[in-house]
Amino acid sequence: MKILITSSLYPTPLAPKVVGGAETFVRRLAETLVGQSDSVEVIRAASASNQQMETCNGVDVYSAPVHNIYFPFAKQHSAPVRGIWHAIEDWQTMSELVANRIKAFKPDILHSNNLSGLTTAVWRTAAELGIPVLHTLHDYYLTCPRCSRFSDGHACEASCMSCQLLTFRRRGATRHLDAVVGVSQRILDIHTQLGLFTQTPLKIVIRNASTADVGSEPTAMTNGTVTFGFIGRLTEEKGIYNLVRAIATIPPDRIRLVIAGHASESERMHIKELAPNARIEFLGFVQPKQFYEQVNVVVVPSIWEDPSPLVVADAQAACKPLLGTPFGGIQESIEPGVTGWLTSPDPASIAKSISAILDAPQQVVEMSGRLKSGINKWAFDDVVAGYRNVFEQLTRGRGMPRT
């Protein structure tokens, strides 16, 4: 099968930028499909002028020019400038590069992922050339210019007027889709409840799975201390500061917190100020396995509708129980009392949940054992099989009218 994949970012040696889990997923999917004898091409949004085609691990990667006032993911801009960028983005209708690659590569299907910089023009172009279109929802681009549905410290329960205006044409463009995949039921439900995909024949969920070497060996509790771990961006919506405030209320002889990910000196100082007596260790940017080998419990304290964070899949692959909040895809991946715990996102609730874990450390050992035995096992091969099934359904129905 020939698959044309589009993604805002796709890390390669000449353009290695990674912002989140979506581009990591897309690269793993593309390379796995190539390893299974499929032909795959990728189109990403250019990160520089005149960016040339690059071949990486058997995948030809093309960079589409960004017809806007700046390149996406380059640097932070003011709100008025971002507003102009999104207004321009929403009015693009056709993609010349997608059209050229469809005519030359002759794919059986177009599989789009994150759309910033590429726009929904990739859908219309493929649809008008008779190519079935599948889109995977990794974020909220279709309903929110910030892609997060998060504002003023809270997950948005409704779309504000600004979001409605700046995404009006994006929502309408979903009529070009033959199928949509949510990486969690929650992200798919949010979109359908807002009236999207009413004309999309196939709507399904394919959860993320670990894409990294994370190990699976148990981590000993030294001197009765339970090590909790956080990995990811140190941003408000990820809930790191609520977690630190919770840790600050717990006797430091019982708990240790390990934080992995880029942390500036000012961020480290702020965290230390929030919990001056806590045992907190900053690992910096490390390979996932190096993080998971050090922790007993992984904490995912998000306060936004996090679609399906890869840390959840990685932690379960590493056989580490999860303490998570009931947002996005997090709650769908945790079986309370069996593979982890759910907690409200405020510091008091997190502290109460952590204290309960400290009072019954044997639970951590038992949960790790269940995960290692394969309970609810979901591997990347399962993900690929799920997508292949969708590809085959769409190619079998090629040329059939939509209902």
Side-chain angles (χ1 to χ4, degrees), residues 336-359:
V338 179
T339 60
W341 308 265
L342 288 173
T343 181
S344 296
D346 60 282
S349 295
I350 295 173
K352 183 177 180 180
S353 296
I354 288 176
S355 295
I357 295 169
L358 295 175
D359 289 340

Side-chain angles (χ1 to χ4, degrees), residues 138-173:
H138 299 279
D139 64 15
Y140 299 97
Y141 171 93
L142 298 176
T143 68
C144 172
R146 291 182 297 275
C147 301
S148 63
R149 297 186 64 81
F150 181 85
S151 181
D152 297 326
H154 300 282
C156 300
E157 295 183 3
S159 294
C160 64
M161 184 58 67
S162 174
C163 284
Q164 291 181 48
L165 290 173
L166 289 173
T167 62
F168 175 75
R169 290 177 65 88
R170 300 178 193 180
R171 298 195 304 274

Side-chain angles (χ1 to χ4, degrees), residues 19-137:
V19 172
E23 48 270 25
T24 303
F25 159 82
V26 171
R27 177 167 168 172
R28 176 72 180 274
L29 176 63
E31 293 179 355
T32 301
L33 290 169
V34 168
Q36 295 179 356
S37 301
D38 293 295
S39 295
V40 178
E41 285 190 359
V42 170
I43 295 176
R44 63 187 172 191
S47 55
S49 300
N50 301 315
Q51 200 165 342
Q52 300 300 306
M53 188 273 282
E54 184 178 359
T55 299
C56 181
N57 295 335
V59 180
D60 289 345
V61 183
Y62 295 83
S63 298
V66 175
H67 301 296
N68 216 315
I69 57 176
Y70 59 81
F71 291 108
F73 313 110
K75 65 176 183 178
Q76 188 63 261
H77 295 271
S78 67
V81 172
R82 294 197 305 272
I84 294 171
W85 193 92
H86 287 293
I88 293 172
E89 170 112 332
D90 212 30
W91 280 87
Q92 297 181 55
T93 58
M94 297 296 288
S95 172
E96 182 179 359
L97 181 58
V98 169
N100 290 340
R101 292 319 308 159
I102 286 175
K103 293 170 183 175
F105 181 50
K106 295 181 172 56
D108 297 296
I109 194 163
L110 181 136
H111 176 201
S112 69
N113 293 271
N114 285 357
L115 291 162
S116 293
L118 294 172
T119 80
T120 57
V122 301
W123 299 347
R124 178 174 177 177
T125 302
E128 292 190 354
L129 290 171
I131 304 301
V133 182
L134 159 67
H135 178 63
T136 295
L137 291 166

Side-chain angles (χ1 to χ4, degrees), residues 108-380:
D108 297 296
I109 194 163
L110 181 136
H111 176 201
S112 69
N113 293 271
N114 285 357
L115 291 162
S116 293
L118 294 172
T119 80
T120 57
V122 301
W123 299 347
R124 178 174 177 177
T125 302
E128 292 190 354
L129 290 171
I131 304 301
V133 182
L134 159 67
H135 178 63
T136 295
L137 291 166
H138 299 279
D139 64 15
Y140 299 97
Y141 171 93
L142 298 176
T143 68
C144 172
R146 291 182 297 275
C147 301
S148 63
R149 297 186 64 81
F150 181 85
S151 181
D152 297 326
H154 300 282
C156 300
E157 295 183 3
S159 294
C160 64
M161 184 58 67
S162 174
C163 284
Q164 291 181 48
L165 290 173
L166 289 173
T167 62
F168 175 75
R169 290 177 65 88
R170 300 178 193 180
R171 298 195 304 274
T174 60
R175 68 184 183 276
H176 298 301
L177 295 177
D178 297 278
V180 60
V181 170
V183 293
S184 64
Q185 187 66 54
R186 179 59 177 159
I187 191 173
L188 185 58
D189 287 347
I190 287 173
H191 283 81
T192 56
Q193 288 163 9
L194 291 170
L196 280 76
F197 312 126
T198 57
Q199 300 178 58
T200 306
L202 181 60
K203 296 181 279 287
I204 65 169
V205 173
I206 302 177
R207 294 187 293 110
N208 285 333
S210 180
T211 61
D213 175 15
V214 294
S216 61
E217 295 305 313
T219 302
M221 299 180 198
T222 307
N223 298 323
T225 297
V226 181
T227 299
F228 290 74
F230 174 95
I231 183 169
R233 301 193 309 276
L234 306 187
T235 54
E236 182 185 19
E237 70 274 12
K238 291 293 186 180
I240 178 63
Y241 301 113
N242 283 343
L243 171 60
V244 172
R245 291 185 178 96
I247 296 289
T249 67
I250 299 172
D253 61 321
R254 305 181 66 196
I255 184 171
R256 170 174 169 255
L257 176 63
V258 172
I259 298 174
H262 174 73
S264 66
E265 187 59 33
S266 62
E267 288 171 331
R268 295 185 184 211
M269 288 180 61
H270 180 51
I271 286 173
K272 285 292 188 181
E273 289 170 357
L274 291 175
N277 298 319
R279 287 192 286 168
I280 299 177
E281 181 179 347
F282 295 93
L283 299 182
F285 191 84
V286 296
Q287 292 300 313
K289 187 175 182 180
Q290 187 177 340
F291 166 76
Y292 289 106
E293 286 177 340
Q294 299 189 44
V295 304
N296 304 117
V297 177
V298 176
V299 188
V300 189
S302 295
I303 56 175
W304 73 296
E305 296 286 359
D306 209 337
S308 183
L310 276 180
V311 60
V312 171
D314 285 345
Q316 292 182 329
C319 304
K320 305 297 179 181
L322 282 152
L323 172 62
T325 51
F327 286 96
I330 299 169
Q331 60 185 327
E332 297 172 25
S333 300
I334 297 174
E335 189 174 351
V338 179
T339 60
W341 308 265
L342 288 173
T343 181
S344 296
D346 60 282
S349 295
I350 295 173
K352 183 177 180 180
S353 296
I354 288 176
S355 295
I357 295 169
L358 295 175
D359 289 340
Q362 186 58 30
Q363 282 191 9
V364 177
V365 177
E366 292 170 356
M367 289 182 182
S368 295
R370 292 190 196 105
L371 289 164
K372 192 171 180 63
S373 70
I375 187 172
N376 297 331
K377 196 71 172 180
W378 180 251
F380 200 78

